[in-house]
Amino acid sequence: MTRVQQIGVVIGLAIVALLTILRAGDPGIFKLIRGVTFDEYQRLVPRAYQPMPVRVIDIDEASLREFGQWPWPRDRLALLVDRLSEMGAAAIAFDVLFSEPDRLSPRNVVREAAGIDPSLAEKLPDNDEIFARTIAEKPVVLGFGLSNEGNYRPPVKAGFAFTGESPVSAPPYLGASTPLRPQLEANAAGLGHISLNPGNPSPVVRAVPLFLTDGEQLYPNLAVEALRVAQGASTYVLSGAPDRAGIMTSAKIGDFIVPLTAAGELWLYVTPDRAERYVSARQVLAPGGASAETAAAINGSIVFVGTSAAGLQDIRVTALGENVPGVSLHAQAVEQILSGQFLSRPDWADGLEILVIAVLGCLLVLVTTFVSPAVALVCGLLITAMALVASWLSFLYAGLLFDPLAPIVSGSIIHFAATSFKILVIDRERREVRRAFGHYLSPSLLHRIEHNRDALRLGGDDRELTVMFVDVRNFTEMSERLAPTDVVAFLNTLLDALSRHVVANEGTLDKFIGDSIMAFWNAPVDVADHQTKAVRTALAMRETLAELNAGDAFGFGPDQEVGIGIGIHTGLACVGNMGAKTRFNYSAVGDAVNVAARIESSCKEVGFDILISDSTARSVQGMALIEAGALPLKGKSSRTQILAVVGGERIAASQEFAALEDIHRQLMQALQTHSRNSRKLIGTAKLRAVQVTGGLAEFYQRLSGRTDHFRDVPERVEKSAAD
């Protein structure tokens, strides 16, 4: 394992540990995402509605229009109870609070009226007493609400038995409740809280606490109390954990066993809201009595009295996204218990999900670090698919709720982090490799290798290239008096400084051959005006070498200057990858390469540092060039016309060079015609050359010894010289 891989594993495992700890803390965002996921499951496969002996007596808009606004006088509610009882209701549960006296009671109305003898009020009927007498000995369950004030707690009408450790501390805490009217509280067969999601800020009701606790006593909710009263049961049998107090696992209510969360909640598995579940209170209170159809619906049913009127603000949101009356959720809870279709989130589900995050996270870190990103991505997708499928099948066939998103999100974060680290490392290594190869290859060649999958195959193409050779003058003598390490240091300094100009002018560094440089232009990619760029590179090398000599960069002393010769030629060459299949170079071969090398070798004979062929000169514009004769090159059957590069555009535009160019043209004609005036013209040219550049002195000095190079000059050269 490399150090980078070790760092990647450590960082990845740290992220896994962080996410595992975060999931163990179960922050609110995780709970919200988990709840939304389970909602989606129910929306895909909601609980199918089945006719059950459960009805909602709905105080709907039609009932309010007929009997007046809410609250109704309690003698009317007494009539409602009588009618429901006569129709055979198994239990009558009111999702209504009776904490205040009935203000519509005749006795209360007279007491509040001014100028009436108070004793008269005692002779008038009291609606609370009427309602209390009516519910006595009937299966009526009244609801109580939670309160933030006082310390009142209602009496409990049923007993509790426990198996396992005591679960009394498991449910949500009941600090205080709204007190009921004493006679109503005493005569009711059962009392249950009507809160659907106490302490839960979510508007969606997903789970209903079937019990509340004050730390010593448990209090049932309206739904299970109605179910208990309907069966005539007197005791709740609650199961706790066998080895740990404060955990609920299930509740036995009469003949029904209900699986619960550790906090005593029932996960609601709801159906879409159905009209069959509701019976309008107007139908029950019809003056002529309820219809036979209504009576049949009530007979043997557990009925919940509540309201769907929007103005009474008892509307809740279900997991299906429907807005329904709160009373209908009490009814659905009982329906769910009667149907035996439960949703359950085992108490070990959190531990399993945390373990999955830890184990799969570690696996992803290792896979991403040591395997290719593609394989790691496939593994991540497989884990995602497996988590989704396992969670969905558990819900579909067993009603078990396992959160797939926490492992998926955590795995995605881990995979992203590990992959990002790996990409950053690869990118850094790539930059380092590119930087290293940048010393050998031009950026254009690197770009070609990086983006062309065929770039590293053996073979070549015929292209027009401008080829340059650079060689150090008198290197053999120099190396004889230097130590090998000093020779290497000298070459590194010189070749590094000169080769930079090749890359800067879009050239390709082919190779270093001892003290020589080979470079070419127009491959591997097309380079516009490549002849001119090659010449500019040569001029830049000349200037750089002068600066190195002036600063004694080589440590030879001011009297020992280093000189170079540069030869440039343009022609057809084969360029490509050459060598063996396992090791090859990107290079160029052909006559153009040989000619360029021979031109560079001619610099000594000509006495000038930069020579180019006429094929290169034809495409070079604006440079200061002068004819250097037609040289016989080794291996060539005919002579090659060459030109000396005096300077760049600035020198070419100067008056001094114009004067030199005029004298040089006359000198070329004299040499071609063997005129005796040539010696005088050479002297004049030397004087003119000094005003242009000092490098031409030796060039003109040697002209008299190579007059053969100016005989039988081809016609095209004469035209070029005439221009």
Side-chain angles (χ1 to χ4, degrees):
M1 183 188 302
T2 65
R3 178 173 177 79
V4 171
Q5 288 175 328
Q6 292 175 348
I7 295 174
V9 170
V10 170
I11 293 175
L13 293 180
I15 294 174
V16 172
L18 180 63
L19 290 172
T20 303
I21 294 172
L22 184 64
R23 174 59 187 86
D26 204 19
I29 185 64
F30 277 46
K31 295 177 181 178
L32 176 61
I33 294 174
R34 186 161 61 241
V36 171
T37 302
F38 298 155
D39 291 348
E40 290 300 321
Y41 285 176
Q42 291 204 48
R43 293 179 186 185
L44 291 172
V45 184
R47 181 169 63 86
Y49 177 78
Q50 299 173 350
M52 291 285 177
V54 181
R55 291 292 182 271
V56 173
I57 306 302
D58 190 8
I59 303 172
D60 53 9
E61 300 290 350
S63 300
L64 295 178
R65 284 195 299 270
E66 182 157 341
F67 297 107
Q69 66 181 6
W70 185 262
W72 287 345
R74 288 176 188 162
D75 59 344
R76 183 173 295 137
L77 296 180
L79 175 60
L80 181 65
V81 170
D82 281 333
R83 293 281 182 90
L84 293 172
S85 181
E86 290 170 1
M87 286 185 281
I92 306 167
F94 280 87
D95 186 21
V96 178
L97 294 178
F98 298 106
S99 57
E100 301 291 337
D102 184 2
R103 62 181 179 81
L104 299 177
S105 176
R107 184 178 298 176
N108 292 335
V109 171
V110 170
R111 283 176 178 170
E112 295 177 2
I116 299 178
D117 185 0
S119 62
L120 179 61
E122 299 301 326
K123 300 176 182 179
L124 296 176
D126 180 74
N127 288 347
D128 286 320
E129 292 180 357
I130 295 172
F131 188 42
R133 288 196 300 270
T134 301
I135 67 174
E137 306 301 327
K138 291 185 176 66
V140 174
V141 179
L142 300 182
F144 63 89
L146 307 185
S147 175
N148 294 325
E149 298 178 356
N151 56 7
Y152 173 79
R153 297 182 181 88
V156 178
K157 301 284 185 172
F160 287 89
F162 306 129
T163 62
E165 295 294 324
S166 172
V168 171
S169 61
Y173 185 74
L174 172 65
S177 67
T178 55
L180 280 70
R181 300 303 296 164
Q183 61 269 45
L184 298 180
E185 183 181 85
N187 290 352
L191 298 173
H193 72 85
I194 62 175
S195 299
L196 290 170
N197 53 349
N200 192 335
S202 174
V204 181
V205 180
R206 300 185 176 97
V208 176
L210 297 191
F211 302 94
L212 298 178
T213 183
D214 61 5
E216 297 180 358
Q217 177 63 56
L218 295 175
Y219 301 86
N221 87 332
L222 190 68
V224 295
E225 188 72 340
L227 180 61
R228 179 190 68 80
V229 170
Q231 297 179 88
S234 60
T235 303
Y236 294 101
V237 180
L238 304 180
S239 297
D243 55 356
R244 183 179 173 186
I247 293 178
M248 277 192 188
T249 58
S250 66
K252 187 173 185 296
I253 309 162
D255 296 329
F256 299 94
I257 298 177
V258 184
L260 303 175
T261 68
E265 296 174 317
L266 169 68
W267 278 94
L268 286 179
Y269 191 10
V270 296
T271 72
D273 206 24
R274 298 288 294 264
E276 295 93 324
R277 185 176 287 126
Y278 299 90
V279 175
S280 175
R282 180 176 61 87
Q283 295 174 309
V284 178
L285 295 174
S291 66
E293 182 181 357
T294 300
I298 300 301
N299 185 33
S301 296
I302 299 173
V303 298
F304 291 87
V305 180
T307 179
S308 66
L312 299 182
Q313 299 180 344
D314 187 26
I315 303 299
R316 305 302 179 94
V317 182
T318 70
L320 304 182
E322 295 181 328
N323 295 318
V324 301
V327 66
S328 72
L329 294 181
H330 292 293
Q332 289 227 41
V334 175
E335 286 179 2
Q336 186 176 339
I337 294 172
L338 296 180
S339 68
Q341 291 183 273
F342 298 107
L343 297 179
S344 175
R345 180 166 170 80
D347 55 359
W348 44 267
D350 284 324
L352 176 64
E353 292 163 5
I354 294 171
L355 180 63
V356 167
I357 291 174
V359 173
L360 294 185
C362 293
L363 177 63
L364 274 177
V365 168
L366 296 177
V367 170
T368 306
T369 302
F370 295 103
V371 187
S372 69
V375 175
L377 178 61
V378 170
C379 291
L381 293 176
L382 286 175
I383 290 172
T384 298
M386 290 171 57
L388 284 173
V389 170
S391 175
W392 170 249
L393 294 179
S394 298
F395 167 81
L396 189 62
Y397 292 107
L400 296 176
L401 299 175
F402 294 111
D403 180 16
L405 289 189
I408 290 174
V409 171
S410 299
S412 300
I413 293 173
I414 294 166
H415 180 265
F416 174 79
T419 303
S420 298
F421 176 79
K422 190 170 185 178
I423 290 174
L424 289 174
V425 170
I426 291 174
D427 185 63
R428 186 191 68 179
E429 292 176 345
R430 181 180 178 182
R431 290 197 304 270
E432 291 177 352
V433 171
R434 185 183 180 92
R435 190 181 303 113
F437 274 88
H439 294 292
Y440 305 97
L441 306 174
S442 68
S444 58
L445 179 56
L446 282 177
H447 183 273
R448 180 182 183 228
I449 292 173
E450 289 173 345
H451 295 86
N452 184 358
R453 66 180 63 186
D454 297 327
L456 293 178
R457 295 190 308 183
L458 289 176
D461 300 315
D462 290 338
R463 296 175 68 97
E464 182 187 64
L465 300 182
T466 295
V467 184
M468 170 191 284
F469 276 87
V470 183
D471 187 61
V472 179
R473 299 279 81 96
N474 302 317
F475 177 72
T476 301
E477 298 177 7
M478 190 183 306
S479 60
E480 287 178 353
R481 64 175 183 267
L482 294 176
T485 54
D486 294 333
V487 172
V488 172
F490 159 70
L491 288 176
N492 287 342
T493 301
L494 178 64
L495 299 181
D496 176 69
L498 299 184
S499 62
R500 293 175 187 269
H501 297 297
V502 176
V503 177
N505 285 280
E506 301 182 54
T508 298
L509 277 170
D510 185 302
K511 59 178 70 74
F512 296 104
I513 313 170
D515 61 324
S516 302
I517 299 173
M518 175 183 171
F520 52 81
W521 279 258
N522 207 38
V525 293
D526 294 336
V527 177
D529 200 16
H530 52 89
Q531 299 91 341
T532 301
K533 290 177 180 177
V535 173
R536 284 178 179 160
T537 300
L539 291 171
M541 288 180 174
R542 174 191 285 169
E543 293 180 2
T544 297
L545 181 61
E547 293 173 358
L548 292 174
N549 283 324
D552 194 20
F554 309 116
F556 297 159
D559 298 331
Q560 297 186 30
E561 292 188 348
V562 175
I564 59 173
I566 300 175
I568 300 174
H569 174 63
T570 300
L572 193 66
C574 181
V575 61
N577 294 320
M578 302 174 191
K581 290 183 178 181
T582 56
R583 186 176 181 85
F584 48 80
N585 293 320
Y586 185 80
S587 185
V589 296
D591 184 63
V593 177
N594 296 331
V595 171
R598 300 293 184 265
I599 292 174
E600 182 275 320
S601 298
S602 301
C603 290
K604 296 179 182 179
E605 182 180 0
V606 173
F608 198 69
D609 60 343
I610 303 176
L611 299 179
I612 64 174
S613 67
D614 64 334
S615 63
T616 301
R618 292 190 193 105
S619 300
V620 174
Q621 302 294 328
M623 297 289 184
L625 308 177
I626 59 174
E627 295 286 344
L631 274 66
L633 301 180
K634 183 179 180 180
K636 302 292 291 182
S637 60
S638 60
R639 290 187 295 166
T640 302
Q641 180 67 30
I642 60 173
L643 295 92
V645 181
V646 178
E649 290 87 346
R650 183 182 59 82
I651 293 179
S654 66
Q655 295 180 354
E656 292 80 4
F657 179 73
L660 173 64
E661 193 175 28
D662 182 61
I663 294 298
H664 188 81
R665 187 180 299 112
Q666 297 177 36
L667 175 59
M668 293 297 101
Q669 293 175 352
L671 290 173
Q672 292 171 18
T673 59
H674 306 284
S675 172
R676 295 181 178 181
N677 195 34
S678 60
R679 186 175 297 276
K680 179 180 179 181
L681 289 173
I682 290 175
T684 303
K686 286 181 180 180
L687 295 176
R688 296 288 186 184
V690 172
Q691 300 175 11
V692 178
T693 177
L696 285 171
E698 185 178 355
F699 172 80
Y700 284 111
Q701 182 69 33
R702 296 194 180 191
L703 277 181
S704 58
R706 57 186 194 91
T707 56
D708 291 345
H709 294 169
F710 300 96
R711 295 175 182 174
D712 302 324
V713 178
E715 183 68 19
R716 56 187 175 86
V717 175
E718 291 179 358
K719 290 181 179 180
S720 175
D723 292 341

